[in-house]
Amino acid sequence: MFDEQVNRLGLGTYSLTGDDGIEAMTAALDAGYRHVDTARLYENEAEVGEAIEASSVDREELVVATKIGHFEEPEKTPDYVRNGVEESLEKLGVDTIDLLYHHWPRHPDEIDTVLPVFEELYKSGTVEHLGVSNYRIEDVERATDLVDVPLYANQVEMHPLLPQEEPYEFCREQDLFVVAYSPLAQGEVFDVPEIVDVAEKHDTSPAVVSLAWLLSHDGVVAIPRSSSPDHIEDNLAARDLELDEEDLERIDSIDDRHRYEDPDWMEW
């Protein structure tokens, strides 16, 4: 799945809703994206399903990922998880989910409730791979001790302003892919001098440089979100941009380090 280069640059779909969202996602699939990432929280799984149906891409060529958890319902009972996955399958128009994430655990007890149901869904063939999202190192350790099937990926905020060195190294030691959301630091990379300099050197955009920086890391997948068909297509150039050692050192030297997704209840 993510060991195929074509899937290491996916499409984030947060806030892509309605007809405009369907149009943007369909254009992305037709342009060459083969990995699409959504969540129940985004309330656009039906639009993702419509885009898949409208595109010229066969289902077998796609990695379809969604998430369950976060703020949808305070109590994540086993039945809530099972019913939620059934709803996701119906909205997405698929028979299986390639990658199902547990989204933003609020408490260790939630991990204890959700992950065994994920294991059940994996063993039944409803889900091909299990993922977690915004899991800290201790959360990943808890999850791997809890279930007997392998976790596949941890989706976290990651970009040149938040390299996530320690979680990244830990995930690689555990043979987990790291899926980077907000890979453009919500647009801030466009104004970072080090990234701008590297972009000018390669006659490309800071967005492409930032994505290429992520893809230069073994086991990292990036899922930029854009509603612009032009930007969606331009981002694909990151697959082919090879940054040299000087470029990587320049980006790694950035002093500004901060995250954007930082809810009050989360202790990193």
Side-chain angles (χ1 to χ4, degrees):
M1 198 165 72
F2 290 155
D3 51 354
E4 297 181 29
Q5 186 69 13
V6 69
N7 296 329
R8 290 188 61 212
L9 187 68
L11 179 71
T13 66
Y14 178 71
S15 79
L16 295 182
T17 57
D19 291 341
D20 289 344
I22 295 170
E23 182 179 349
M25 290 185 281
T26 303
L29 294 174
D30 288 339
Y33 287 82
R34 295 296 179 264
H35 166 201
V36 58
D37 179 275
T38 183
R40 286 173 59 79
L41 176 70
Y42 303 167
E43 298 183 342
N44 69 351
E45 288 175 316
E47 285 95 328
V48 171
E50 289 190 47
I52 292 171
E53 180 66 25
S55 77
S56 60
V57 184
D58 291 338
R59 167 67 181 97
E60 292 74 19
E61 297 181 41
L62 295 176
V63 174
V64 179
T66 191
K67 314 175 196 72
I68 194 165
H70 203 18
F71 297 117
E72 302 135 4
E73 184 176 292
E75 296 298 327
K76 305 299 185 298
T77 64
D79 282 342
Y80 169 81
V81 178
R82 294 186 191 98
N83 293 337
V85 171
E86 285 299 321
E87 289 178 9
S88 292
L89 288 166
E90 183 177 352
K91 290 178 179 179
L92 291 166
V94 298
D95 295 324
T96 59
I97 295 171
D98 298 305
L99 178 56
L100 178 66
Y101 295 96
H102 179 211
H103 201 187
W104 281 107
R106 296 292 298 269
H107 190 276
D109 288 348
E110 186 178 321
I111 296 173
D112 294 347
T113 299
V114 172
L115 266 293
V117 182
F118 276 26
E119 180 177 26
E120 168 191 313
L121 294 168
Y122 173 90
K123 290 180 176 178
S124 73
T126 303
V127 174
E128 292 290 337
H129 299 281
L130 304 187
V132 295
S133 178
N134 295 302
Y135 268 43
R136 303 164 299 179
I137 289 174
E138 56 265 40
D139 297 326
V140 174
E141 291 174 332
R142 186 183 191 94
T144 54
D145 287 342
L146 188 63
V147 296
D148 293 327
V149 299
L151 297 182
Y152 191 77
N154 186 12
Q155 185 175 130
V156 298
E157 180 181 348
M158 185 177 178
H159 44 71
L161 305 182
L162 188 67
Q164 297 276 27
E165 291 101 336
E166 188 176 357
Y168 166 70
E169 292 296 339
F170 173 79
C171 285
R172 295 314 296 149
E173 290 170 2
Q174 300 296 312
D175 203 26
L176 269 71
F177 284 93
V178 175
V179 178
Y181 71 79
S182 293
L184 306 181
Q186 299 188 9
E188 190 166 334
V189 297
F190 291 98
D191 299 317
V192 177
E194 294 87 345
I195 297 174
V196 171
D197 288 347
V198 174
E200 290 176 351
K201 170 183 171 181
H202 291 278
D203 191 26
T204 189
S205 71
V208 170
V209 167
S210 298
L211 295 171
W213 174 83
L214 284 163
L215 297 182
S216 73
H217 293 70
D218 179 55
V220 171
V221 177
I223 49 170
R225 175 263 178 210
S226 176
S227 60
S228 164
D230 288 341
H231 291 163
I232 286 171
E233 188 162 0
D234 288 345
N235 288 342
L236 288 174
R239 290 176 179 168
D240 300 316
L241 176 59
E242 293 189 17
L243 301 176
D244 60 32
E245 198 64 34
E246 181 183 22
D247 299 329
L248 298 174
E249 289 177 0
R250 184 91 167 106
I251 296 170
D252 290 339
S253 72
I254 296 171
D255 289 330
D256 187 11
R257 296 284 187 248
H258 59 276
R259 66 174 67 246
Y260 290 89
E261 297 296 332
D262 192 15
D264 293 338
W265 48 263
M266 190 70 181
E267 295 183 4
W268 301 105

